[in-house]
Amino acid sequence: MNKQQLKGLAGKILRVNLTTGSIVVEDSDPYLFRYFLGGRGVGAAILYKELAPGIDPLGPDNKLVFTVGPLEGTMAPGANKMSVSFKSPATNSICWSLAGGHIAPELKFAGYDGIIIEGKSPKPVYLWINDDKVEIKDALAYWGQETHQSEDAIRAEIKEPLSKVMVIGPAGENQVTFACIQADHFREFGRGGGGAVMGSKNLKGIAVRGHGCIEVHDGEKLEELTRNVNEILAKHPKANARKAFGTNEMIDGINALGFWSTRNFQEGSFDGVDKINTASYKNETVFSDVSCYGCSIACGKNARNKKNPYFSAAVEGPEFETTGLLGPNCGIDSWNYILKATEICDKYGMDTISAGAVVALGMELYEKGIIDKVTTDGLDLKFGNGEALVQTLENIAFRRGFGDILANGTKTVGEKYDALAYAPQVKGLEFATYDPRGAKGMGLTYAVSSKGAHHMTSPTMGVEIGNNNRFSEEGKGALVAETQKYMAIVDSMAVCASMRFALSLNQQMRLFEAVTGVALSDEEGMQIGENILTLERLFNDREGFTRKDDNLPTRFTEETMTSGASAGQKVNLNPMLDEYYQVMGYDKDGKPSKSKIPYFA
Ligand code: SF4
């Protein structure tokens, strides 16, 4: 197989070594894309092949592997995701994170299917990819700047207003373990600390401008499939809810079902929800829609508080998870402070989910009297104190005082204060906003994900609610396994997860065929999904991860929910874990067989 036999690829991968300053252009390996599709899958394969076990995630031996897929830059619906894979400083496991917007197609137009960043620069730099001209440029002037400021400054310096730029903020420079990489101002590679890895390499940003185009195998078929998906999306109630309210369309439902993270997951429904419900989000904050490349949903929302100019925070979103973690999970019932806290995370470059989770843990420690104002730098860190939330987030980004402790994430904080039982994390990655006691499949999802407690590795809650079996553990091992495989395909096709409302597995395989010319059956697609999961687990296996790491804090396995529509529930994890391992073909300790992966066989 060669590039001509796999259309859709740009054909090159950039390898940049920041220690030596070398920039090498390599041919994309078509087999890598045949067996792992693109995005997350190809990133996992490159990391597995190239990263030695046991390396320091914040040392020069770690790599940042940015990957797209054959669909990026074509008209395929929602094909706009770029993935970055790395060993996470939060978890020491494999990690990947995806951002939408417009930077992924731009990289393809510039002629590349990926960028591999190695080593560590002796001084702050940024990378400027201008078609086939690639330079490492001085970024000393931008080091210390906020994300939006440095993105605009880099764009101005290269004199390319249409370039797409991703940067880190002060949190990445200060190696906050949940620092993110920010692209197109508001699109984040959010989870797992990719921003900290970038900061450890003294890499402030990457700017991209491309003028090429992508050759596809069957343009007419691609157009037909795309039209079909967009017609389904136009009528789909969930897609239309996203169009109207963004992901905050979920607020009312998840709160009513009693599994919305509230006060560090002590409760599952929020008494202040009427002030921050779905309608109030739209009425009080949203003033326009935003779309990523090639998307007909446009779930992005430009938001600011329309009533209160003092709180002039202007953000895109916040996403439902952000609302949950920076809102109810911190006891906050005001869009003023949710927007302000989101803005702080955006401009300093922090994952809003982990940031909200670690502040909420601090709040519970403070209310329990385990820490006091001496520890919190004088802040009255009670649930509901919006000013304390905002100030603490600033302190985290700059590693000031108590912020320096929180900047290492909930697992480290839990260990320090003997509070691991209620530090909401798995493997060191914080829970998303769904309390697993209200949808047991989400408990297994958090537990077995190779990157830690990330909801989008297998978002089973919709199926569980639809099947009216969200409180049952039965069959959840199989449900999570199937959903994980499907999501591994979605992430590796590098299409937006919201496309799944209309994009069946078969349609994804047909899109892949129309673009690349490679026909894959649904079974072959699911096998690829399984292979990607296995590869990620093998990466963790050689880092020493075992069944004991596929676990949940005892708050969720031993304490029942005390109020709301999920009252009386706790998670019985072990039967689900046994079923999951059995379905995936892993042994009792969760160890897979290496022989299952053709590319590495
Ligand atoms: S649904 Fe939202 S996140 Fe997904 S591609 Fe469209 S605008 Fe972007």
Side-chain angles (χ1 to χ4, degrees):
M1 192 189 291
N2 56 38
K3 187 194 158 195
Q4 280 66 41
Q5 291 167 297
L6 195 77
K7 295 279 197 309
L9 292 183
K12 304 286 179 195
I13 289 190
L14 264 182
R15 187 180 291 271
V16 179
N17 189 305
L18 294 172
T19 305
T20 63
S22 83
I23 299 170
V24 177
V25 180
E26 301 175 351
D27 287 336
S28 301
D29 176 356
Y31 287 101
L32 207 50
F33 289 85
R34 158 62 181 82
Y35 285 114
F36 300 104
L37 303 176
R40 168 182 164 186
V42 167
I46 293 174
L47 271 194
Y48 185 72
K49 197 169 154 195
E50 298 193 6
L51 227 55
I55 58 134
D56 175 3
L58 295 174
D61 292 335
N62 202 0
K63 300 189 184 192
L64 285 165
V65 181
F66 294 92
T67 43
V68 293
L71 270 56
E72 267 62 48
T74 73
M75 65 166 64
N80 54 55
K81 294 284 181 181
M82 181 183 282
S83 174
V84 61
S85 300
F86 51 91
K87 182 176 175 181
S88 165
T91 61
N92 277 309
S93 71
I94 194 167
C95 191
W96 64 94
S97 186
L98 294 102
H102 296 78
I103 196 161
E106 195 73 23
L107 187 69
K108 291 282 290 288
F109 299 151
Y112 307 98
D113 300 307
I115 313 164
I116 302 173
I117 305 286
E118 305 173 334
K120 175 183 179 175
S121 169
K123 59 175 187 168
V125 292
Y126 72 94
L127 188 65
W128 171 212
I129 302 167
N130 187 11
D131 291 316
D132 54 1
K133 190 173 173 211
V134 183
E135 299 170 79
I136 299 172
K137 294 180 72 88
D138 188 1
L140 195 58
Y142 312 131
W143 202 253
Q145 283 187 354
E146 296 166 7
T147 54
H148 306 320
Q149 189 185 8
S150 55
E151 181 180 328
D152 292 343
I154 288 172
R155 198 174 279 116
E157 182 188 312
I158 59 180
K159 297 187 174 57
E160 272 288 352
L162 295 178
S163 60
K164 307 297 178 286
V165 182
M166 53 179 148
V167 293
I168 58 167
E173 295 169 13
N174 295 325
Q175 297 176 23
V176 172
T177 59
F178 46 89
C180 66
I181 303 166
Q182 199 109 1
D184 296 347
H185 281 169
F186 293 113
R187 294 283 151 181
E188 284 93 25
F189 299 89
R191 308 235 62 197
V197 178
M198 200 151 143
S200 75
K201 296 184 176 305
N202 277 329
L203 181 62
K204 181 68 179 176
I206 300 175
V208 185
R209 182 73 177 118
H211 296 84
C213 57
I214 305 303
E215 191 184 348
V216 302
H217 167 70
D218 186 343
E220 279 182 25
K221 189 71 187 166
L222 176 62
E223 192 178 340
E224 180 193 324
L225 287 163
T226 301
R227 193 181 306 116
N228 180 254
V229 170
N230 284 335
E231 281 170 6
I232 296 171
L233 285 172
K235 294 182 205 136
H236 197 286
K238 193 79 175 163
N240 283 322
R242 294 280 164 103
K243 191 189 287 285
F245 303 104
T247 48
N248 278 325
E249 53 98 1
M250 288 188 276
I251 292 175
D252 299 351
I254 300 296
N255 187 67
L257 291 167
F259 66 108
W260 200 21
S261 60
T262 299
R263 297 184 183 88
N264 195 36
F265 292 86
Q266 293 180 90
E267 302 149 80
S269 51
F270 186 44
D271 41 4
V273 70
D274 289 347
K275 294 184 190 164
I276 54 163
N277 60 18
T278 297
S280 76
Y281 168 67
K282 172 102 173 174
N283 296 337
E284 295 174 23
T285 78
V286 174
F287 63 93
S288 63
D289 297 342
V290 192
S291 178
C292 301
Y293 177 94
C295 173
S296 61
I297 298 179
C299 82
K301 305 290 163 226
N302 281 315
R304 69 166 62 115
N305 194 309
K306 295 175 181 172
K307 289 183 184 163
N308 191 340
Y310 169 73
F311 288 95
S312 58
V315 301
E316 190 184 312
E319 298 295 333
F320 174 56
E321 283 74 27
T322 302
T323 302
L325 272 301
L326 294 173
N329 202 46
C330 292
I332 304 293
D333 63 0
S334 144
W335 286 117
N336 287 341
Y337 284 110
I338 295 172
L339 263 57
K340 194 74 186 167
T342 305
E343 185 188 59
I344 298 281
C345 290
D346 284 354
K347 73 180 184 179
Y348 297 138
M350 294 188 288
D351 172 25
T352 51
I353 296 177
S354 292
V358 78
V359 175
L361 177 59
M363 287 174 163
E364 185 170 348
L365 292 170
Y366 181 77
E367 292 207 342
K368 282 189 153 89
I370 296 168
I371 59 173
D372 57 20
K373 277 192 182 173
V374 175
T375 305
T376 65
D377 311 303
L379 293 173
D380 188 23
L381 200 60
K382 286 189 303 208
F383 286 111
N385 186 341
E387 288 294 337
L389 166 65
V390 167
Q391 187 58 57
T392 303
L393 290 171
E394 290 224 20
N395 291 345
I396 292 171
F398 292 96
R399 285 189 171 274
R400 295 183 198 123
F402 188 46
D404 187 34
I405 295 168
L406 298 182
N408 295 320
T410 51
K411 186 177 181 196
T412 305
V413 175
E415 284 165 351
K416 181 176 175 66
Y417 295 106
D418 195 20
L420 271 177
Y422 51 94
Q425 55 77 35
V426 173
K427 302 181 179 75
L429 190 74
E430 289 74 15
F431 281 23
T433 196
Y434 313 94
D435 190 311
R437 288 170 291 190
K440 304 296 172 62
M442 291 309 294
L444 185 62
T445 292
Y446 290 161
V448 297
S449 158
S450 294
K451 67 192 273 195
H454 183 52
H455 59 299
M456 290 308 291
T457 51
S458 47
T460 57
M461 61 278 181
V463 173
E464 294 182 86
I465 294 165
N467 290 345
N468 200 24
N469 69 351
R470 65 192 178 99
F471 295 145
S472 169
E473 277 86 7
E474 205 180 322
K476 298 298 168 70
L479 175 65
V480 167
E482 288 303 292
T483 314
Q484 276 188 328
K485 289 178 202 172
Y486 180 77
M487 291 308 297
I489 296 166
V490 170
D491 289 349
S492 302
M493 297 278 281
V495 295
C496 173
S498 292
M499 297 300 130
R500 72 189 190 281
F501 304 141
L503 202 54
S504 66
L505 173 64
N506 185 260
Q507 281 167 309
Q508 289 192 74
M509 295 302 105
R510 300 292 65 77
L511 279 170
F512 191 79
E513 181 181 3
V515 170
T516 65
V518 175
L520 296 171
S521 67
D522 291 6
E523 292 71 29
E524 286 172 311
M526 285 302 266
Q527 187 59 55
I528 288 172
E530 184 176 327
N531 290 345
I532 293 164
L533 294 167
T534 303
L535 195 57
E536 291 165 352
R537 189 159 272 266
L538 283 168
F539 182 101
N540 284 358
D541 176 63
R542 65 185 188 190
E543 296 288 342
F545 285 75
T546 65
R547 180 181 181 121
K548 71 173 173 18
D549 300 293
D550 292 343
N551 209 345
L552 295 173
T554 53
R555 164 156 293 168
F556 305 92
T557 56
E558 292 178 10
E559 292 178 29
T560 54
M561 192 83 89
T562 53
S563 61
S566 298
Q569 294 298 320
K570 61 183 177 182
V571 181
N572 187 9
L573 183 62
N574 275 319
M576 293 195 291
L577 209 48
D578 288 337
E579 184 193 347
Y580 172 79
Y581 289 164
Q582 188 258 320
V583 170
M584 291 297 288
Y586 302 162
D587 70 15
K588 287 271 179 206
D589 202 33
K591 192 179 170 72
S593 155
K594 195 174 177 178
S595 63
K596 296 179 89 176
I597 304 178
Y599 186 82
F600 288 92

